Amino acid sequence: MLDSPLLASPHAHAPVSISRTMGLVLLALLPATLLGLWQFGWPAILLFSATLTAALLFEALALILGGKPLRASLMDGSALLTGWLLVMTLPPWAPWWIGVLGAFIAIIVGKQVFGGLGQNLFNPAMVARVVLLVSFPLEMTQWIGPQPLFFAQTPGLNDGLAISLDGLSAPWDAMSGASILGQVDLILQQGGDLAAATPELFAPLTALLGGIPGSLGETSALLLLLGGLFLIRKGVIDWVIPVAVLLGVAVPASLLHLLDPARFAGPLLHLLAGATLLTAFFIATDPVTSPVSRLGQAVFGAGAGLLIYLIRTFGAYPEGAAFAILLMNAATPMIDHYIKPRIFGRDRHGRPLPVAGDAAQERQR
């Protein structure tokens, strides 16, 4: 009798699954990724391929060793997305082993050690990014300006293989340099006037369309923004965390820029350069490592944005997105403890809400 469809509990069926969610996120990342691969050529394509392949292989290895079903878990798209987000934060011409080692750290250390999908405390891609940056600062800070495919000065497939296998060497190493945020940091270290240097250093339209040195996740602010809006429109993410992250960056940047424009860059540079938009829409919104309640998400996003700005401005690293996300991931349990979502039928203190019928009976008494 318990199996009778007439006696079974009602269930709401919605076309939501892990694989569909991951697929939509990958789809949202695709335009910016394709532009980045075209802009940075064969070395970026080879790094991208090596990182994603390694992420899938390490996921398969962990599933086999753990005795978990291989096909269902491997095909849900989570490992692919982790590798994809990781490579979006790497220098496009980094050697292949940086991507492979990063994939190992992200999948095995950042994800599977915690128990797999849904169990990790920290964002796996950001764990890998931070470990790589601290361990290999030279390889992780060699940035290249856009070198589009099939242009005369762009390395072909053979040169791309040489760069991917052996790293930058003559004449390609002459193309390396600092990212926009790295150049800002260098100007400040040399005592320069940032307000005077910014017009030559940073063009908002160029950053929007994707013509600045940086990672694949810094190629086109416009395409990343459109991808994020697509995810909000599809209901994959909520608007709270992205808006809170952007405000957390923009508000202090605006205030300090007004106080001293020679020392502090304006909010537009901080929003369009670096990994701000990638972080706001694709990394900070990870449902596993972010708070449950909307108020908690607002606190999480604002904290991440503020930390991004503080690390960029006062810290030792020009880009602070990965560090900011990991710090706020660590704070998520505390945020969830103190900011709980309201239970249906009760107020935020857990007390039952008054019922209209009970109030009428009370008045009759």
Side-chain angles (χ1 to χ4, degrees):
M1 292 295 291
L2 292 177
D3 295 330
S4 170
L6 297 177
L7 298 179
S9 301
H11 299 280
H13 296 276
V16 177
S17 65
I18 294 175
S19 58
R20 179 180 181 275
T21 299
M22 299 296 173
L24 287 173
V25 176
L26 293 173
L27 183 61
L29 280 170
L30 187 60
T33 305
L34 291 177
L35 176 63
L37 294 177
W38 175 75
Q39 284 184 318
F40 294 107
W42 285 111
I45 294 172
L46 295 170
L47 176 67
F48 181 82
S49 303
T51 306
L52 264 62
T53 302
L56 293 173
L57 290 176
F58 286 129
E59 178 86 347
L61 176 63
L63 292 171
I64 292 171
L65 293 177
K68 299 178 181 179
L70 184 62
R71 181 181 177 84
S73 300
L74 194 61
M75 298 302 291
D76 63 13
S78 61
L80 187 65
L81 179 58
T82 297
W84 198 309
L85 288 173
L86 169 62
V87 78
M88 292 289 281
T89 69
L90 300 179
W93 285 17
W96 67 273
W97 56 266
I98 284 285
V100 172
L101 179 59
F104 171 82
I105 297 169
I107 298 297
I108 303 298
V109 179
K111 179 182 176 184
Q112 292 297 339
V113 164
F114 288 93
L117 181 64
Q119 306 298 318
N120 50 288
L121 177 62
F122 300 98
N123 186 287
M126 294 302 97
V127 171
R129 158 77 181 168
V130 167
V131 172
L132 290 173
L133 181 60
V134 173
S135 304
F136 308 101
L138 178 62
E139 289 81 3
M140 290 293 291
T141 53
Q142 290 184 321
W143 305 103
I144 298 291
Q147 306 290 329
L149 274 174
F150 312 122
F151 278 39
Q153 71 275 19
T154 303
L157 178 57
N158 291 336
D159 290 325
L161 281 170
I163 292 171
S164 183
L165 293 173
D166 302 326
L168 289 174
S169 58
W172 311 112
D173 57 348
M175 297 181 178
S176 64
S179 64
I180 297 295
L181 295 174
Q183 293 179 57
V184 168
D185 188 54
L186 182 61
I187 291 171
L188 293 177
Q189 289 180 12
Q190 295 175 347
D193 187 337
L194 200 56
T198 298
E200 297 181 4
L201 177 68
F202 173 74
L205 183 59
T206 303
L208 273 173
L209 300 180
I212 60 175
S215 66
L216 293 180
E218 302 175 42
T219 50
S220 172
L222 178 60
L223 291 180
L224 289 169
L225 176 60
L226 292 176
L229 294 177
F230 168 78
L231 293 180
I232 294 174
R233 177 67 180 83
K234 288 291 185 180
V236 176
I237 63 174
D238 198 0
W239 60 269
V240 175
I241 290 180
V243 170
V245 171
L246 298 179
L247 288 175
V249 173
V251 171
S254 301
L255 294 175
L256 291 181
H257 180 67
L258 288 173
L259 292 174
D260 189 356
R263 174 170 166 73
F264 300 105
L268 205 55
L269 185 147
H270 281 285
L271 290 175
L272 299 183
T276 304
L277 290 175
L278 179 70
T279 301
F281 289 102
F282 296 96
I283 297 174
T285 51
D286 175 17
V288 177
T289 57
S290 58
V292 176
S293 67
R294 299 191 87 185
L295 179 58
Q297 291 172 1
V299 172
F300 175 89
L306 179 60
L307 285 171
I308 289 172
Y309 179 75
L310 292 177
I311 294 171
R312 286 178 177 179
T313 306
F314 303 105
Y317 293 96
E319 177 57 271
F323 294 98
I325 289 299
L326 294 184
L327 288 170
M328 292 310 297
N329 287 162
T332 293
M334 182 177 65
I335 294 173
D336 279 335
H337 177 76
Y338 287 105
I339 306 177
K340 297 182 175 67
R342 186 176 66 85
I343 302 172
F344 184 75
R346 295 178 179 269
D347 62 19
R348 295 198 175 275
H349 300 288
R351 295 186 294 263
L353 293 174
V355 180
D358 295 341
Q361 291 177 6
E362 190 67 27
R363 285 196 298 270
Q364 290 175 0
R365 291 176 186 176

